[in-house]
């Protein structure tokens, strides 16, 4: 580890200078020799580094999603050129170039953090060895050695013996309890971060070896942290626990607001977004318009959740436009007879039933001002029954029968017309 630390010694001085600057601020509040002053200085260092790494984190997200998209094509290339490794590598590089991505892009934040991590380890290890480092002089070195976090010195390790711990004015039990608790929290935060990535933010429509690798890393990484954590000083554990919590929160924000297409997180996000757009009847800012524009541009390539989003807008009487705007659609929403909005399909169901010929004729006579008594069948002389009534119960529910006299016909019984003979 000393060899690795020496390789990153060029950044030791900047890291120690940043810690000292934060310590001067927190020392004025909590006291210069307290664990709060030195512990918060390390936490502030982490936050500063992670803020500077946000652009790399964005690139990591894009690279990871691009790699997930390329997995089916990569599998085809591996199967096609399985006996020609050189041609397989050439085709892979060509695929990466065409897609504008690189497998190493997903590791950029971790690689960028490595120099700061080893520089901080070298600083804390020098404090434990009572050696000045960077801008930390003898006065600051003595102050850092007095600093304890819940009874554990910043430079103490889980594997330290009792003599070394007593030299730092602490007990071995306190050091073991604090370091063990921090190692457990560090491993659990790493496991939860990887788990929420696998269960919520992975495209479930594509089954590739990449998903199996990520699932394996979900269990491997916490074990690695636990094994190496017992050799980390308390100050480094504070650093690593803080960066894990930052990563977990940062990833939760990304999953909630910018999920992977086809994932469960996208289904939940589009459901919330659909309710928001339906309530306001439009997209209100550039980000919302960009989301709608991207979904509309996919056309038939939309996944299940994106199609459900578009259909939900249509049912609400809204239409998504190619420029990302959402407008009210007259083709979807029509006005019912009572003035309430309804869909065209329900409007077709509300159309009146088709009337029979006798009902239409009766309505025409009524509209012309005729008396209703004129359309009733008259009884024949002699008090007999109307000739048109041959059977009981044959009257249609419309209230008018075929036996009623039509305009231009003779009253009384009619002889049936015989078919014309040629």
């Amino acid at each position: 580890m000393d060899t690795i630390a020496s390789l990153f010694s060029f950044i030791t001085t900047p890291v120690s200078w940043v810690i000292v600057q934060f310590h001067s601020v927190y020392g004025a509040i909590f006291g210069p020799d307290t664990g709060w002053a030195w512990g918060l200085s390390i936490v502030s260092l982490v936050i500063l580094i992670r803020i500077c790494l946000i652009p790399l984190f964005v690139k990591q997200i894009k690279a990871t999603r691009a790699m997930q998209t390329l997995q089916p094509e990569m599998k085809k290339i591996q199967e096609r050129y399985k006996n020609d490794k050189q041609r397989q590598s050439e085709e892979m590089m060509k695929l990466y170039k065409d897609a504008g991505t690189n497998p190493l892009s997903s590791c950029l934040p971790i690689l960028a953090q490595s120099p700061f991590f080893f520089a901080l380890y070298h600083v804390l290890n020098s404090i434990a060895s009572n050696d000045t480092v960077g801008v930390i002089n003898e006065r600051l070195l003595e102050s850092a050695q007095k600093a304890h976090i819940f009874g554990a010195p910043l430079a103490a390790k889980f594997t330290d013996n009792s003599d070394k711990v007593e030299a730092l004015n602490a007990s071995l039990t306190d050091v073991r309890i604090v370091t063990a608790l921090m190692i457990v929290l560090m491993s659990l935060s790493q496991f939860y971060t990887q788990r929420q990535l696998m269960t919520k933010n992975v495209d479930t429509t594509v089954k590739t070896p990449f998903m199996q690798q990520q699932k394996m890393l979900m269990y491997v990484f916490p074990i690695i942290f636990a094994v190496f954590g017992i050799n980390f000083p308390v100050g480094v554990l504070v650093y690593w626990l803080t960066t894990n919590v930052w990563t977990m929160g940062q990833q939760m924000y990304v999953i909630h607001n910018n999920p992977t297409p086809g994932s469960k997180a996208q289904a939940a996000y589009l459901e919330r977004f659909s309710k928001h757009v339906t309530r306001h009847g439009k997209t209100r800012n550039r980000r919302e318009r960009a989301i709608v524009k991207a979904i509309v541009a996919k056309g038939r390539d939309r996944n299940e959740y994106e199609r459900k989003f578009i259909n939900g807008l249509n049912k609400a009487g809204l239409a998504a436009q190619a420029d990302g705007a959402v407008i009210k659609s007259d083709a979807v929403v029509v006005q019912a007879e009572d003035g309430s909005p309804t869909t065209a399909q329900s409007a077709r169901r509300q159309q009146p039933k088709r009337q029979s010929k006798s009902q239409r004729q009766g309505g025409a006579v009524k509209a012309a001002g005729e008396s209703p008594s004129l359309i009733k069948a008259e009884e024949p002389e002699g008090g007999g029954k109307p000739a048109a009534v041959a059977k009981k119960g044959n009257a249609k529910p419309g209230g008018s029968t075929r036996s009623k006299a039509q305009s231009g016909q003779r009253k009384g019984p009619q002889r049936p017309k015989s078919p014309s003979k040629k």
Side-chain angles (χ1 to χ4, degrees), residues 12-26:
T12 301
T13 300
V15 167
S16 61
W17 183 84
V18 172
I19 293 178
V20 169
Q21 298 307 311
F22 281 121
H23 175 263
S24 63
V25 175
Y26 294 119

Side-chain angles (χ1 to χ4, degrees), residues 371-382:
S371 173
S373 60
L374 295 179
I375 63 174
K376 291 183 179 180
E378 297 183 1
E379 295 182 1
E381 296 180 359

Side-chain angles (χ1 to χ4, degrees), residues 260-379:
T260 301
S263 63
K264 294 180 180 179
Q266 189 197 29
Y269 175 77
L270 289 180
E271 184 177 356
R272 296 192 305 269
F273 186 48
S274 178
K275 293 179 181 179
H276 174 76
V277 174
T278 303
R279 182 171 64 252
H280 295 284
K282 61 180 180 179
T283 51
R284 300 192 300 171
N285 51 53
R286 184 185 302 176
R287 180 174 177 274
E288 293 180 355
R289 286 192 294 271
I291 295 171
V292 175
K293 182 179 179 180
I295 295 176
V296 172
K298 289 185 177 181
R300 295 183 178 181
D301 295 333
R302 301 184 192 115
N303 57 45
E304 176 186 357
Y305 310 124
E306 293 166 345
R307 288 193 296 268
K308 186 178 179 180
F309 170 75
I310 296 296
N311 293 335
L313 293 181
N314 293 337
K315 290 180 181 180
L318 301 173
Q321 304 299 304
D323 61 350
V326 174
I327 62 174
K328 292 184 179 180
S329 176
D330 296 334
V332 178
V333 177
V334 297
Q335 294 291 329
E337 294 179 357
D338 58 354
S340 61
T342 181
T343 60
Q345 183 178 3
S346 62
R348 286 196 296 270
R349 290 197 299 265
Q350 294 175 1
Q351 292 179 354
K353 294 181 180 180
R354 187 175 181 180
Q355 294 180 341
S356 63
K357 183 177 180 181
S358 59
Q359 289 175 332
R360 292 196 300 271
Q361 290 175 345
V365 172
K366 205 167 188 180
E370 298 287 347
S371 173
S373 60
L374 295 179
I375 63 174
K376 291 183 179 180
E378 297 183 1
E379 295 182 1

Side-chain angles (χ1 to χ4, degrees), residues 119-328:
L120 179 64
Y121 181 88
H122 184 58
V123 169
L124 295 174
N125 192 48
S126 299
I127 292 174
S129 303
N130 200 23
D131 296 328
T132 58
V133 57
V135 299
I136 298 179
N137 52 31
E138 294 180 357
R139 182 180 60 82
L140 292 173
L141 179 63
E142 183 181 356
S143 175
Q145 288 180 339
K146 293 179 181 179
H148 292 65
I149 297 178
F150 302 109
L154 288 176
K157 305 175 186 177
F158 183 87
T159 55
D160 286 345
N161 53 36
S162 58
D163 295 336
K164 190 172 182 179
V165 172
E166 290 175 359
L168 295 172
N169 299 322
S171 67
L172 184 62
T173 303
D174 293 339
V175 171
R176 294 281 174 86
I177 292 176
V178 172
T179 52
L181 182 61
M182 295 182 72
I183 290 171
V184 170
L185 292 176
M186 187 174 61
S187 300
L188 288 178
S189 60
Q190 178 66 37
F191 176 79
Y192 181 78
T193 301
Q194 193 69 19
R195 178 176 173 79
Q196 72 173 348
L197 179 66
M198 290 299 302
T199 57
K200 296 181 180 180
N201 207 36
V202 173
D203 187 357
T204 56
T205 61
V206 181
K207 304 296 183 181
T208 62
F210 179 77
M211 295 178 60
Q212 298 298 327
Q213 294 173 3
Q214 293 295 317
K215 188 175 182 180
M216 181 181 65
L217 293 177
M218 180 174 66
Y219 297 98
V220 171
F221 273 163
I223 296 175
I224 293 175
F225 276 103
V227 171
F228 286 96
I230 60 176
N231 294 312
F232 290 160
V234 173
V236 174
L237 293 178
V238 171
Y239 174 91
W240 208 250
L241 178 60
T242 305
T243 195
N244 279 0
V245 173
W246 177 280
T247 302
M248 181 174 63
Q250 190 172 246
Q251 187 169 270
M252 289 176 66
Y253 176 82
V254 171
I255 291 174
H256 188 269
N257 295 282
N258 190 20
T260 301
S263 63
K264 294 180 180 179
Q266 189 197 29
Y269 175 77
L270 289 180
E271 184 177 356
R272 296 192 305 269
F273 186 48
S274 178
K275 293 179 181 179
H276 174 76
V277 174
T278 303
R279 182 171 64 252
H280 295 284
K282 61 180 180 179
T283 51
R284 300 192 300 171
N285 51 53
R286 184 185 302 176
R287 180 174 177 274
E288 293 180 355
R289 286 192 294 271
I291 295 171
V292 175
K293 182 179 179 180
I295 295 176
V296 172
K298 289 185 177 181
R300 295 183 178 181
D301 295 333
R302 301 184 192 115
N303 57 45
E304 176 186 357
Y305 310 124
E306 293 166 345
R307 288 193 296 268
K308 186 178 179 180
F309 170 75
I310 296 296
N311 293 335
L313 293 181
N314 293 337
K315 290 180 181 180
L318 301 173
Q321 304 299 304
D323 61 350
V326 174
I327 62 174
K328 292 184 179 180

